[in-house]
């Protein structure tokens, strides 16, 4: 085969990481459910945490749904609606840029706090330090892909290559050749992102899947003021 490494990287590696994500998550929730939590360091330092956490979480949620739309809405659909490629990318960069900047500033604030604040640093586990560093690198790669690699490669359209490859992953027949001419920063973003997915169940990130559904269905708690005697 002409590209054995590329074949393994874009055919087997994604399934290895996604398999780790799905099976690791099931095992974590089934057998280690009490550990599905994120230790709060708010008691050690609150002001910077609130700024970074709000920016990061709002930004990353917007970026996540932007990725979902960009990958799973085929170009043919937007073409059929009369949305030109230029209009689509202007909207994607505009909306994605806002959420991307929020996520970037937020993760940099959290990363700086985690390493710079001595109390927070010494209370952090190795996993805490690794995951905040990994998220910082991944978000930096994503922003660099959109605002550096994209403009430097005007002929590249991720919707006709990378997005199709991702959709093919879920149909279990990915064509690795679609990734051969993808700019390097995009490739690094994908590889590093898959690595984070693979490590997801074994880190504090897994708490993102532990939604507190019980608060929706529980009875209202009634607070009564103690009468003055």
């Amino acid at each position: 085969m002409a590209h054995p490494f590329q074949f393994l990287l874009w055919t087997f590696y994604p399934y290895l990481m996604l398999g780790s994500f799905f099976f690791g998550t099931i095992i974590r929730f089934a057998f280690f459910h009490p550990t599905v939590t994120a230790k709060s360091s708010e008691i050690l330092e609150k002001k910077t945490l609130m700024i970074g956490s709000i920016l990061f979480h709002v930004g990353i949620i917007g970026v996540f749904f932007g990725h979902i739309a960009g990958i799973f809405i085929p170009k043919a659909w937007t073409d059929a609606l009369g949305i030109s490629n230029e209009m689509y990318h202007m909207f994607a960069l505009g909306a994605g840029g806002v959420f991307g900047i929020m996520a970037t500033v937020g993760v940099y604030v959290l990363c700086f706090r985690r390493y710079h604040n001595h109390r927070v640093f010494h209370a952090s586990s190795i996993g805490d330090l690794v995951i905040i560093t990994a998220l910082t690198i991944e978000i930096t790669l994503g922003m660099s892909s959109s605002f550096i690699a994209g403009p430097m490669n005007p002929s590249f359209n991720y919707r006709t290559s990378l997005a199709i490859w991702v959709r093919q992953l879920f149909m279990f027949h990915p064509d690795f050749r679609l990734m051969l001419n993808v700019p390097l920063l995009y490739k690094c973003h994908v590889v590093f992102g898959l690595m984070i997915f693979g490590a997801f169940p074994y880190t504090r990130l897994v708490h993102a899947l532990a939604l507190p559904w019980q608060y929706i269905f529980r009875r209202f708690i009634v607070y009564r003021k103690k009468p003055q005697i």
Side-chain angles (χ1 to χ4, degrees):
M1 186 172 292
H3 305 276
F5 175 74
Q6 297 279 1
F7 177 78
L8 292 173
L9 183 62
W10 306 119
T11 303
F12 290 101
Y13 172 73
Y15 290 115
L16 182 64
M17 294 297 102
L18 292 174
S20 175
F21 172 81
F22 286 112
F23 291 108
T25 299
I26 292 172
I27 293 171
R28 181 79 179 266
F29 275 85
F31 300 102
F32 304 96
H33 195 273
T35 68
V36 180
T37 182
K39 295 183 297 180
S40 174
S41 58
E42 181 179 349
I43 194 172
L44 303 176
E45 193 280 328
K46 184 175 181 179
K47 184 177 180 180
T48 308
L49 173 64
M50 292 301 293
I51 296 172
S53 182
I54 292 173
L55 285 173
F56 171 74
H57 284 90
V58 173
I60 207 67
I61 290 171
V63 168
F64 173 77
F65 284 106
H67 277 61
I68 295 296
I71 290 172
F72 291 101
I73 297 179
K75 185 176 181 295
W77 292 13
T78 54
D79 290 344
L81 293 174
I83 302 173
S84 67
N85 197 49
E86 291 73 19
M87 290 172 58
Y88 176 88
H89 283 291
M90 284 180 61
F91 177 78
L93 286 176
V98 171
F99 287 113
I101 290 172
M102 291 178 67
T104 303
V105 173
V107 79
Y108 271 84
V109 169
L110 293 176
C111 189
F112 176 80
R113 172 183 178 271
R114 181 70 62 177
Y115 281 97
H116 185 260
N117 187 295
H118 296 291
R119 297 176 68 193
V120 176
F121 178 79
H122 289 294
S124 302
S125 66
I126 295 177
D128 293 336
L129 299 175
V130 169
I131 202 62
I132 192 63
T133 303
L135 287 173
T136 303
I137 294 172
E138 173 64 2
I139 292 174
T140 302
L141 286 171
M143 292 296 285
S144 300
S145 299
S146 296
F147 294 98
I148 297 178
M152 289 178 63
N153 298 271
S155 62
F156 170 70
N157 187 346
Y158 72 89
R159 302 177 73 199
T160 59
S161 56
L162 198 158
I164 296 176
W165 171 78
V166 174
R167 294 198 296 270
Q168 288 177 347
L169 284 175
F170 291 93
M171 293 184 286
F172 300 101
H173 62 86
D175 183 359
F176 77 100
R177 288 166 294 191
L178 289 169
M179 295 296 292
L180 295 181
N181 296 319
V182 171
L184 181 60
L185 280 173
Y186 279 93
K187 289 181 177 180
C188 293
H189 181 54
V190 173
V191 169
F192 212 81
L194 286 169
M195 189 184 302
I196 291 176
F197 267 99
F200 188 95
Y202 320 108
T203 68
R204 63 186 292 151
L205 291 178
V206 75
H207 80 276
L209 301 178
L211 298 177
W213 298 110
Q214 68 271 20
Y215 289 103
I216 299 176
F217 302 105
R218 74 177 186 179
R219 293 182 178 180
F220 288 105
I221 299 176
V222 179
Y223 291 92
R224 293 185 175 90
K225 185 176 180 180
K226 184 177 181 181
Q228 298 292 331
I229 299 177

